[in-house]
């Protein structure tokens, strides 16, 4: 079955934009770039961890270093002005991409994890107390579970978990009971990076707001793969990372409602985020610079801007349609085998990933065999150890898809799983 019969994207044309997809794998691990002895084409199915970058993103980053490498907001000279304008334009582009009111609501961090910690530490430590509760889901990534766990330990607040049903959905009856008058924050992963479950964020945000609580959304798996508009989302905070949406590593985004961000104290202190400093006290810069202490990720922001432009040109509705079609195809092909356990909802009701186990084969062994066939997947607990404990499995293999993946690559995955099946028979 050809991918063009399933998706509105011109995948062949897209793949031509990604230099890394032409390489082969299988040579010595310490060999940079294509190995002279390798003959296996790369099948990259680890996009939930990190996506690849198109040439336009690579060029944008190298263009900064080649032409106007300078610090921002600190120089009167031309290079600094050019860098400052580019850095600010990146804020504007991201704000437009997610439907934010303006750059004031877009804070650049180094990743989703830092964005989570900024709110947990900057707001939670100063606000929560023994009479408060924080409600999260049982399928949270460690990046959103651990910060709230540790802040609750230090403030005496109670941490509550919305359970996941056997079908892989959130138990919303339990959510309605757990979110009560004591709740100060509801923090939810939009798309589970293990189950693929799509959380009903708008409903959870409504439940939170009914109790005068805030709602935080981990959008690491959703913002890169589908249209996300913060007004429709209904939440107060949203976090995501550049490296999962074609951009570079080292840059993340925290979106927050301007009124809420104005009330918050900074999490990091130092240069760039100050307005006035004396030996006795300091005052803070306007949003978003108030939360961007020190030299910011300038090149990374410029790269993220280029990634946003690439995705916008494709159209996020078409990106979602491609992901949905490819994920459903992969789910069905794996499920047809009969000896594969797939975790989470059915193939029509999930984000663009499939976590699974082949009976009798540890996920790490399976991943190693897949790698021999040139198929790159994730294996382990995917930073969701408590969820894996609840599923009573030590680990799982995870294939995750993006705009440049094809049904042929899914077939290569299934064929490689077949090799593992024969080896362990």
């Amino acid at each position: 079955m050809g991918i063009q019969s399933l998706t509105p994207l011109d995948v062949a044309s897209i793949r031509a934009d990604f230099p890394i997809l032409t390489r082969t794998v299988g040579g010595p691990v310490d060999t940079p770039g294509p190995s002279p002895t390798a003959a296996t084409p790369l099948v990259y199915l680890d996009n939930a961890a990190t996506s690849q970058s198109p040439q336009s993103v690579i060029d944008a980053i190298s263009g900064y270093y080649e032409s106007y490498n300078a610090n921002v907001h600190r120089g009167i000279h031309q290079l600094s002005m050019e860098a400052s304008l580019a850095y600010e334009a990146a804020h504007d582009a991201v704000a437009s991409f997610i439907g934010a009111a303006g750059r004031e609501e877009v804070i650049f961090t180094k990743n989703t994890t830092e964005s989570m910690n900024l709110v947990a530490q900057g707001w939670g430590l100063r606000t929560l107390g023994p009479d408060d509760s924080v409600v999260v889901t049982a399928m949270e990534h460690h990046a959103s579970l651990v910060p709230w766990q540790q802040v609750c330990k230090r403030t005496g607040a109670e941490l509550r978990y919305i359970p996941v049903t056997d079908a892989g959905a959130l138990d919303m009856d339990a959510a309605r009971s757990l979110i009560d008058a004591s709740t100060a924050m509801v923090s939810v992963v939009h798309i589970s990076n293990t189950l693929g479950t799509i959380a009903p964020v708008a409903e959870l945000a409504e439940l939170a707001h009914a109790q005068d609580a805030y709602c935080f959304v981990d959008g690491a798996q959703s913002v890169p793969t589908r249209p996300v508009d913060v007004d429709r989302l209904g939440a107060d905070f949203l976090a995501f990372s550049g490296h999962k949406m074609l951009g570079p590593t080292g840059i993340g985004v925290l979106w927050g409602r301007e009124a809420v961000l104005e009330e918050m104290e900074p999490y990091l202190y130092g240069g760039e985020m100050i307005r006035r400093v004396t030996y006795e006290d300091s005052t803070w810069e306007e949003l978003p610079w108030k939360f961007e202490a020190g030299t910011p990720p300038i090149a990374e922001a410029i790269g993220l801007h280029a990634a946003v432009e690439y995705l916008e040109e494709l159209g996020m509705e078409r990106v979602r349609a491609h992901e949905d079609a490819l994920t459903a195809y992969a789910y069905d092909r794996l499920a047809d085998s009969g000896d594969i356990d797939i975790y989470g909802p059915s193939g029509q009701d999930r984000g663009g990933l499939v976590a699974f186990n082949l009976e009798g084969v540890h996920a790490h062994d399976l991943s190693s065999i897949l790698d021999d066939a040139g198929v790159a997947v994730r294996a382990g607990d995917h930073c969701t150890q408590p969820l894996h404990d609840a599923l009573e499995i030590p680990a799982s293999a995870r294939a995750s898809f993006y705009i440049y993946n094809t049904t042929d690559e899914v077939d290569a995955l299934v064929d490689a799983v077949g090799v593992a099946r024969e080896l362990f028979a």
Side-chain angles (χ1 to χ4, degrees):
M1 179 184 295
I3 187 66
Q4 286 305 136
S5 65
L6 296 177
T7 172
L9 294 181
D10 182 354
V11 182
S13 176
I14 289 171
R15 288 179 66 84
D17 293 334
F18 291 79
I20 199 170
L21 298 182
T22 64
R23 72 160 289 176
T24 54
V25 292
V29 172
D30 60 354
T31 301
S35 166
T37 62
T40 307
L42 170 66
V43 176
Y44 188 79
L45 301 179
D46 193 20
N47 297 284
T50 293
S51 63
Q52 300 301 334
S53 294
Q55 189 65 52
S56 59
V57 170
I58 298 168
D59 290 345
I61 296 169
S62 62
Y64 162 73
Y65 284 117
E66 290 172 353
S67 301
Y68 56 105
N69 178 20
N71 216 320
V72 296
H73 302 155
R74 299 182 186 182
I76 305 302
H77 59 83
Q78 182 172 339
L79 266 61
S80 178
M81 290 179 168
E82 291 177 2
S84 298
L85 289 173
Y87 185 65
E88 292 167 4
H91 285 78
D92 294 337
V94 172
S96 175
F97 186 68
I98 60 172
R103 70 171 66 161
E104 296 79 10
E105 297 186 334
V106 173
I107 298 158
F108 286 156
T109 61
K110 65 174 179 288
N111 46 41
T112 303
T113 301
E114 185 178 59
S115 298
M116 294 277 189
N117 276 275
L118 193 159
V119 176
Q121 302 283 334
W123 173 85
L125 276 182
R126 293 176 172 89
T127 304
L128 297 174
D131 295 331
D132 297 316
S133 68
V134 174
V135 178
V136 300
T137 79
M139 61 184 187
E140 293 302 306
H141 189 283
H142 295 165
S144 54
L145 191 159
V146 177
W148 293 118
Q149 179 191 75
Q150 296 305 307
V151 165
C152 285
K153 284 179 178 293
R154 292 165 68 177
T155 61
E158 180 185 4
L159 186 60
R160 301 172 178 174
Y161 294 91
I162 303 171
V164 178
T165 69
D166 291 342
L170 283 184
D171 186 335
M172 291 304 292
D173 287 336
R176 283 183 276 274
S177 133
L178 291 168
I179 301 170
D180 60 20
S182 73
T183 303
M185 175 67 75
V186 176
S187 185
V188 57
V189 59
H190 195 176
I191 297 178
S192 167
N193 73 312
T194 296
L195 300 176
T197 304
I198 303 171
V201 170
E203 184 177 355
L204 289 165
E206 188 175 341
L207 291 172
H209 294 155
Q211 302 294 344
D212 292 326
Y214 290 133
C215 181
F216 193 121
V217 177
D218 172 1
Q221 300 298 333
S222 61
V223 173
T225 61
R226 62 204 53 237
V228 173
D229 182 283
V230 291
D231 278 340
R232 294 178 183 175
L233 210 57
D236 304 287
F237 300 99
L238 172 71
F240 54 99
S241 293
H243 69 96
K244 297 182 191 292
M245 52 185 291
L246 309 181
T249 57
I251 186 164
V253 175
L254 172 67
W255 167 83
R257 296 195 185 280
E258 185 173 356
V260 182
L261 293 175
E262 289 284 9
E263 294 174 359
M264 284 174 53
E265 284 294 303
Y267 165 49
L268 298 172
Y269 300 96
E272 187 72 15
M273 52 75 65
I274 53 87
R275 176 174 294 175
R276 170 73 176 154
V277 178
T278 68
Y279 286 121
E280 293 74 32
D281 205 358
S282 302
T283 57
W284 316 134
E285 188 55 271
E286 295 178 352
L287 292 173
W289 325 124
K290 166 184 172 181
F291 294 104
E292 296 186 3
T295 296
I298 306 166
E300 292 83 354
I302 290 166
L304 178 58
H305 186 173
V308 164
E309 288 183 335
Y310 191 96
L311 289 170
E312 285 182 326
E313 185 173 345
L314 291 181
M316 292 309 293
E317 287 287 0
R318 298 200 301 160
V319 170
R320 172 168 55 185
H322 175 81
E323 286 246 331
D324 289 349
L326 204 58
T327 304
Y329 179 76
Y331 185 100
D332 291 344
R333 285 232 55 199
L334 291 167
D336 285 345
S337 301
D339 58 352
I340 292 178
D341 294 321
I342 302 177
Y343 308 103
S346 72
Q348 301 294 333
D349 258 342
R350 58 165 61 224
L353 59 93
V354 180
F356 63 96
N357 273 313
L358 175 64
E359 290 179 10
V361 183
H362 193 283
H364 290 166
D365 294 328
L366 177 59
S367 177
S368 178
I369 293 167
L370 296 181
D371 184 55
D372 288 341
V375 180
V377 300
R378 201 68 155 185
D381 57 44
H382 319 307
C383 291
T384 57
Q385 288 182 9
L387 177 60
H388 275 71
D389 290 344
L391 294 170
E392 298 182 343
I393 54 174
S396 61
R398 183 188 69 193
S400 49
F401 316 106
Y402 210 20
I403 56 175
Y404 36 68
N405 290 127
T406 68
T407 52
D408 287 343
E409 291 182 315
V410 173
D411 293 339
L413 165 69
V414 175
D415 290 345
V417 171
V419 172
R421 181 183 293 111
E422 292 178 5
L423 285 173
F424 285 89

